[in-house]
Amino acid sequence: MRQELGYKEKSGQFTKFGQWYADRVQDTQYRDAPWCDMFLAWAADKAGVTDYVGEFAWTPSHAAWFIQKDAWSQRPEPGALVFFDWRGGKSYKGIDHVGVVERVSGKKIHTIEANVDRVWLKRKTRETDKVVGYGIPRLVKAKADQEEIRSTEQPFVSPPRTQTGHGSPFDVLGTPPALLAVMVLTTIILSLRVTRRRGTHRRLAWPWLGRRPSSAPDIQRVPSPRNPFAGEGAAKGDARKPARPQPRPAPSQPARPQPAKAQGAAPARPARPRVPAGSGSAAEHAPRRRRPYDEG
């Protein structure tokens, strides 16, 4: 930058810095445009610090870039870019000129500026009353380095860790064998619940639970001598009125001989001997009841 001190623009406001910027942005109008900021872009490119200084031709946009980078200050320091508003405004939108602070002396700053006194690149000593603010390239660089460090803290995704040791017993619930077992068990339970027999549900007899005693005792239907079909009706499911059990006849005297009936009548059946209670098997000595359709 210092090597260019004393440079003077050519006729028609042509400068080599404007020519460089026009080729850079592919726009010929910058060849003879005001070149104070284009000189800073050229110098930053030569020094390899464009990322921290910026590359602009319009000074308000250049100041806004520093503000966006959080690198804007009101205190001068060597190496800072100083932005001026010749009308004394304090908004970046009214900035007219830019230079580089070479050193600070009290309330005055010593700068290197291009396009001053209309045609020159030279050193200037300025008061700070026309200064809008300062762009600090070192702050831009510090923030860029910090962001780069953060982006490289974990450059690779760590592989998943292999689980070691014993897991929880509930881990097997989500495995395919466990799901299959649940489906089979559910199917068996549902099939047993919907199966009916004689209007009632069939219960599953679990072998390990043993046989449960019936809650209600079985009542054996004994056909009545007066109504021999009472037992059959009960066996067919007619349980609306259970047959009334007949009292056991009391022991009586030996059967008396019946008088002979008139000639032509059927002979009377001999009386069957009674079996005392408790002697022998009840099935062997139980009297056989005569059905209505048996012959006498």
Side-chain angles (χ1 to χ4, degrees), residues 14 36 49 53 98 105 117 129 142 156 165 172 198 211 233 237 257 273:
F14 175 85
C36 62
V49 292
V53 176
V98 65
S105 176
D117 299 335
D129 57 334
F156 303 104
V172 299
R198 296 184 180 179
R211 183 176 183 182

Side-chain angles (χ1 to χ4, degrees), residues 3 73 100 135 151 202 230 233 252 270 277:
Q3 291 81 358
S73 176
V100 179
S151 64
R202 295 182 61 186
S252 60

